[in-house]
Amino acid sequence: MITLNTKDKTNKSKMRVGRGIGSGKGKTSGRGVKGQKSRSGVAIKAFEGGQMPLYRRLPKRGFNPISRVNIAILNLDKIQSFIDKKSIKISEILNSDLLKKLKLINKNSIKLKILGSGNIKDKINIEADLASKSAIEKLEKISGSIQLKK
């Protein structure tokens, strides 16, 4: 059986560099001879000899995760303005495919979310992936319907 704290590990003292030739880390203290790395007060880390460092050559990514799902957001007042402009017909079902075809949302968006900002006057049938509580309430009030995809 192996225990975490074995005696040979706990009793090992740290190497004292620069304490005589016989110690194995004497004279140059394991730093070699001359050169920038042998001197004190040197912090090279990502320095590449004047060449543009790798971390500066690559594009910035920040906090945007690679596997992010693009969700198109659409407010009720925006839908109403599209109806008023006659770009959306009340008779057809409003879904992401139709909105992409009409170029009202980004073609790269994977999901569609309906938010309840503003008011909607016309009765419309919507098919979306997500919807806020206020959007559902406002659509039900004007006897419109919203179907949420699972």
Side-chain angles (χ1 to χ4, degrees):
M1 190 173 141
I2 299 167
T3 57
L4 285 173
N5 288 334
T6 53
K7 209 164 177 76
D8 56 319
K9 274 186 186 173
T10 52
N11 291 348
K12 194 157 172 74
S13 56
K14 72 178 181 91
M15 171 64 80
R16 296 178 72 216
V17 294
R19 295 295 186 276
I21 299 163
S23 70
K25 280 274 196 279
K27 195 180 172 233
T28 55
S29 308
R31 284 172 174 261
V33 186
K34 293 182 182 175
Q36 189 178 15
K37 283 187 174 177
S38 70
R39 320 262 190 246
S40 67
V42 175
I44 300 170
K45 288 184 182 79
F47 184 68
E48 296 181 22
Q51 175 179 297
M52 187 61 65
L54 182 68
Y55 68 90
R56 285 186 63 195
R57 273 179 278 166
L58 300 174
K60 290 197 283 186
R61 286 243 323 266
F63 293 107
N64 303 325
I66 303 166
S67 61
R68 186 185 71 181
V69 176
N70 285 342
I71 300 172
I73 293 169
L74 210 58
N75 277 307
L76 290 178
D77 57 353
K78 197 80 170 168
I79 295 168
Q80 185 61 51
S81 70
F82 289 140
I83 293 166
D84 295 339
K85 288 177 192 169
K86 300 208 173 22
S87 40
I88 299 173
K89 292 186 187 95
I90 305 166
S91 58
E92 52 193 17
I93 295 168
L94 188 73
N95 56 18
S96 55
D97 298 330
L98 176 75
L99 291 165
K100 282 178 192 175
K101 199 170 78 180
L102 296 169
K103 293 184 179 173
L104 300 177
I105 60 169
N106 192 327
K107 65 179 179 191
N108 298 328
S109 54
I110 297 161
K111 291 186 176 183
L112 174 65
K113 184 168 186 173
I114 307 295
L115 299 180
S117 175
N119 288 316
I120 190 159
K121 290 171 267 178
D122 300 298
K123 181 183 167 183
I124 192 162
N125 297 326
I126 300 172
E127 192 179 282
D129 297 285
L130 307 157
S132 67
K133 286 178 187 173
S134 60
I136 294 165
E137 282 172 22
K138 285 178 183 177
L139 279 164
E140 284 172 354
K141 196 182 279 182
I142 58 149
S143 68
S145 70
I146 184 160
Q147 287 183 312
L148 299 177
K149 293 180 199 168
K150 288 283 190 269

